[in-house]
Amino acid sequence: MCGILALLGCSDDSQAKRVRVLELSRRLKHRGPDWSGIYQHGDFYLAHQRLAIIDPASGDQPLFNEDKKIVVTVNGEIYNHEQLRKLMPNHKFRTGSDCDVIAHLYEEYGENFVDMLDGVFSFVLLDTRDNSFLAARDAIGITPLYIGWGLDGSVWISSELKGLNDDCEHFEAFPPGHLYSSKNGGLRRWYNPAWFSEAIPSTPYDPLVLRRAFENAVIKRLMTDVPFGVLLSGGLDSSLVASVTARYLAGTKAAKQWGAQLHSFCVGLEGSPDLKAAREVADFLGTVHHEFHFTVQDGIDAIEDVIYHIETYDVTTIRASTPMFLMSRKIKSLGVKMVISGEGADEIFGGYLYFHKAPNKEEFHKETCRKIKALHQYDCLRANKATSAWGLEARVPFLDKEFINVAMSIDPESKMIKHDQGRIEKWVLRKAFDDEEQPYLPKHILYRQKEQFSDGVGYSWIDGLKAHAKQHVTDRMMLNAAHIFPHNTPTTKEGYYYRMIFERFFPQNSASLTVPGGPSIACSTAKAIEWDASWSNNLDPSGRAAIGVHNSAYKDHLPGVANGNMDTKIINNLPRMIGVGAAAELTIRS
């Protein structure tokens, strides 16, 4: 992923202002270490920090149309760029970059072209013919984007808070699926799928339709001119990503350039659940597997860097971002510039353990809609910024627009967790890839119980964070928390500790308002806490907090369960969670 920064209409075209824009753009250089670019037209400035994935030789930005009257700075990947080029046979493209189509699409179709883009993106487009501009963000918010306003009437756009927080009077997150038009004077939604209204769908579940939709989403994301791999935790989502990638890699342009054997990457404390499961999946798929170990102290030492880069004080996000942040640095050191990851499946299919308590299919579906709408504040934020901190790009096929359309049109009755029928969380996804003749995964991996990333890397990771926070946050500090932090007041010492660090980096009130808040149980929305009265007394975002659900809940509800293990006829030995051994030094095993 790249980094973009735009300053639009600041009434200052001086060299000093240009130098300031360059200075702020350099704060985003970690996102794009391969090249820097800036374009100035009067008091309009478009800056870019490039991570070269497609056409590394000639795709530097900003990009232009033929006569250079339309200028664009883009962070993203446009997977259907070749098809879009064919729609414009009279246009001449300067580069092979997938993002080169944007200026030409605007020239051909005007502001309504955004929905034609199949991919992930944040961009700012300047039409120098009338000094109008357009900014847009992808449907789900996989790429980060912020918008700010200056006292001089200027509009600022940046990939990260740190690009604009010091120079804007007010700033906020640019909403996903929206565009900002200077001609029309504000934001409007361009992404309007059927599921967004939260109306209950009724399409019958077809496992083969769902399977093919996901395979197509993965195949699209094999578009690359640089070395890549997959993030593999050993859980269902990342394992399916790895399996489908390995199955379809041969014959692609990427395989011809970099070889047909897939590389996989996993991180965890020594002896953690993820490491064991990931090794097994890697052996099954025949990937070149890289295993990264970290200690609790390694993670604690990285917390300040993590908060600076992720730009949040949300407890769950920081817990999960830290191992990913450490792993991304190691992956980049191996020469890899892009990875494919499994974010999004839990939101689409109700994979979090609290979904076991959904009272009916209507509530189940509405909660999945709420979760998808909030992804840009949580898992998308984590996956993008934790990797981009080291110039690594993460692609997320579960959040493909077409795949979401297919998955969210399924009658949610099929997604419901039915203990008496042996249907655990994400059953429709598991069933879609349960192929006896050409198995995608071993059965016990295909039906492995959900582990949140911050849990799966090793349970002592979270316990260590809590203990560390208690050493730095006193009871007296907690008594005054509501006065010090009136917005999103931290309710735990861990939350208070993260908030103190965040405020040091981003002291503006606007910054604290960009971070979501409210009560949560095992990553639920506040609304879902109503599903179980006991949850209001146990508000912890860890998956283990879903009392009576994590693993042991199956004992009382599923047939053929003995000593915590299910009958093989149901799911062929869903494994119990293993313990965590002593943490090792940070090492790599390949």
Side-chain angles (χ1 to χ4, degrees):
M1 289 293 172
C2 305
I4 65 172
L5 177 69
L7 170 54
L8 307 158
C10 62
S11 303
D12 184 353
D13 60 359
S14 67
Q15 177 64 19
K17 181 61 73 171
R18 182 185 177 98
V19 169
R20 178 57 177 165
V21 172
L22 285 168
E23 179 186 346
L24 294 172
S25 180
R26 281 194 291 271
R27 296 183 183 181
L28 309 177
K29 189 176 288 186
H30 53 275
R31 298 186 61 86
D34 296 334
W35 194 252
S36 301
I38 187 170
Y39 173 84
Q40 180 182 357
H41 175 73
D43 60 353
F44 293 82
Y45 302 81
L46 272 62
H48 190 265
Q49 301 289 343
R50 188 184 185 204
L51 179 66
I53 303 291
I54 304 296
D55 188 20
S58 65
D60 295 337
Q61 296 192 36
L63 296 163
F64 304 88
N65 69 333
E66 291 93 336
D67 62 7
K68 293 194 172 184
K69 298 292 187 182
I70 299 169
V71 193
V72 64
T73 180
V74 192
N75 168 34
E77 301 290 342
I78 310 302
Y79 300 120
N80 64 336
H81 73 104
E82 293 182 352
Q83 298 95 303
L84 293 172
R85 287 170 187 260
K86 293 175 183 177
L87 296 176
M88 300 177 286
N90 297 325
H91 288 251
K92 294 181 180 179
F93 297 90
R94 296 175 178 272
T95 76
S97 168
D98 54 295
C99 295
D100 206 356
V101 297
I102 292 177
H104 298 272
L105 286 169
Y106 171 81
E107 190 176 24
E108 192 75 20
Y109 299 99
E111 292 185 353
N112 295 322
F113 76 90
V114 180
D115 199 27
M116 300 171 67
L117 301 174
D118 183 6
V120 298
F121 52 83
S122 296
F123 68 79
V124 179
L125 180 149
L126 174 65
D127 187 340
T128 63
R129 297 172 298 187
D130 59 5
N131 285 349
S132 63
F133 60 88
L134 179 72
R137 188 179 184 188
D138 65 70
I140 305 300
I142 295 163
T143 60
L145 197 64
Y146 298 87
I147 183 169
W149 295 268
L151 287 173
D152 57 1
S154 59
V155 176
W156 295 69
I157 308 285
S158 176
S159 293
E160 296 186 0
L161 281 179
K162 58 184 68 68
L164 50 68
N165 64 308
D166 288 337
D167 288 59
C168 292
E169 182 68 16
H170 176 74
F171 52 89
E172 59 194 46
F174 194 107
H178 280 71
L179 62 83
Y180 182 97
S181 168
S182 64
K183 291 179 180 178
N184 297 320
L187 288 159
R188 64 180 173 88
R189 172 169 286 282
W190 65 263
Y191 178 58
N192 295 288
W195 64 265
F196 208 84
S197 69
E198 301 183 10
I200 311 304
S202 58
T203 303
Y205 167 56
D206 186 329
L208 293 181
V209 169
L210 187 65
R211 179 196 294 184
R212 190 59 195 158
F214 183 64
E215 289 178 328
N216 287 338
V218 173
I219 291 167
K220 285 180 197 176
R221 284 155 180 80
L222 300 181
M223 178 185 81
T224 178
D225 292 330
V226 298
F228 80 103
V230 294
L231 302 185
L232 179 59
S233 71
L236 174 68
D237 309 335
S238 67
S239 296
L240 285 178
V241 168
S243 178
V244 174
T245 302
R247 186 167 293 209
Y248 289 99
L249 178 58
T252 65
K253 179 183 175 183
K256 292 175 183 176
Q257 284 184 287
W258 309 107
Q261 192 169 21
L262 183 65
H263 287 251
S264 57
F265 307 94
C266 184
V267 66
L269 302 179
E270 187 77 48
S272 66
D274 281 0
L275 293 180
K276 178 178 181 292
R279 278 195 300 269
E280 187 171 3
V281 174
D283 290 343
F284 179 83
L285 298 176
T287 68
V288 179
H289 191 55
H290 307 266
E291 184 176 288
F292 307 136
H293 297 172
F294 76 103
T295 68
V296 171
Q297 190 61 52
D298 291 326
I300 289 171
D301 291 342
I303 288 292
E304 293 206 7
D305 283 342
V306 168
I307 292 174
Y308 174 76
H309 280 286
I310 310 302
E311 301 179 324
T312 189
Y313 50 81
D314 176 68
V315 170
T316 311
T317 305
I318 294 168
R319 288 175 177 178
S321 294
T322 305
M324 196 172 196
F325 176 85
L326 295 171
M327 174 173 59
S328 296
R329 187 176 192 180
K330 289 293 184 180
I331 292 173
K332 186 61 184 289
S333 74
L334 298 177
V336 172
K337 294 179 73 172
M338 186 272 282
V339 290
I340 308 179
S341 190
E343 280 75 16
D346 289 318
E347 288 73 14
I348 294 169
F349 296 104
Y352 293 105
L353 297 181
Y354 72 89
F355 275 93
H356 283 244
K357 298 294 184 75
N360 53 55
K361 72 175 187 179
E362 290 81 12
E363 280 298 309
F364 189 104
H365 179 72
K366 290 178 181 179
E367 177 71 358
T368 61
C369 294
R370 291 190 291 264
K371 290 292 292 180
I372 296 171
K373 291 175 185 178
L375 264 170
H376 68 285
Q377 298 174 304
Y378 296 101
D379 284 16
C380 288
L381 187 84
R382 167 182 56 78
N384 184 281
K385 291 183 179 178
T387 52
S388 294
W390 303 107
L392 181 69
E393 177 176 305
R395 296 181 178 176
V396 284
F398 280 112
L399 297 179
D400 178 84
K401 271 200 306 182
E402 289 305 312
F403 178 74
I404 292 176
N405 287 341
V406 170
M408 292 302 288
S409 68
I410 298 171
D411 186 335
E413 183 67 30
S414 299
K415 296 181 181 179
M416 290 282 286
I417 297 151
K418 302 282 182 128
H419 300 299
D420 57 343
Q421 298 176 29
R423 279 167 41 177
I424 63 173
E425 65 276 354
K426 291 185 288 194
W427 176 82
V428 293
L429 183 61
R430 301 175 197 272
K431 185 67 175 176
F433 288 91
D434 196 346
D435 190 323
E436 297 288 348
E437 295 183 2
Q438 294 181 303
Y440 285 79
L441 294 169
K443 274 290 181 74
H444 60 282
I445 295 292
L446 190 61
Y447 290 95
R448 183 190 181 201
Q449 187 181 17
K450 163 69 183 171
E451 285 282 13
Q452 287 172 214
F453 184 48
S454 54
D455 286 338
V457 297
Y459 294 141
S460 63
W461 166 232
I462 292 176
D463 298 334
L465 285 174
K466 290 179 178 179
H468 179 73
K470 286 182 180 179
Q471 294 176 353
H472 293 270
V473 179
T474 66
D475 292 341
R476 178 171 294 182
M477 292 164 72
M478 291 301 298
L479 286 174
N480 296 324
H483 301 290
I484 303 297
F485 306 117
H487 175 71
N488 283 345
T489 303
T491 58
T492 66
K493 290 185 176 182
E494 185 185 5
Y496 194 107
Y497 178 66
Y498 299 153
R499 186 65 173 273
M500 287 193 300
I501 298 171
F502 178 88
E503 296 279 342
R504 194 165 73 246
F505 291 129
F506 308 104
Q508 302 85 354
N509 185 56
S510 291
S512 66
L513 295 175
T514 65
V515 180
S520 175
I521 180 75
C523 285
S524 75
T525 66
K527 179 69 175 174
I529 293 174
E530 299 173 7
W531 294 352
D532 189 313
S534 68
W535 285 349
S536 61
N537 298 317
N538 186 48
L539 297 177
D540 189 290
S542 169
R544 292 176 290 169
I547 298 173
V549 171
H550 189 272
N551 198 356
S552 61
Y554 292 107
K555 297 178 186 178
D556 300 327
H557 298 286
L558 281 169
V561 176
N563 298 322
N565 293 318
M566 298 183 190
D567 190 287
T568 54
K569 294 179 182 178
I570 302 174
I571 59 168
N572 194 20
N573 291 326
L574 175 73
R576 290 175 59 82
M577 299 302 101
I578 64 172
V580 179
E585 296 299 317
L586 185 62
T587 58
I588 304 176
R589 295 181 185 175
S590 301

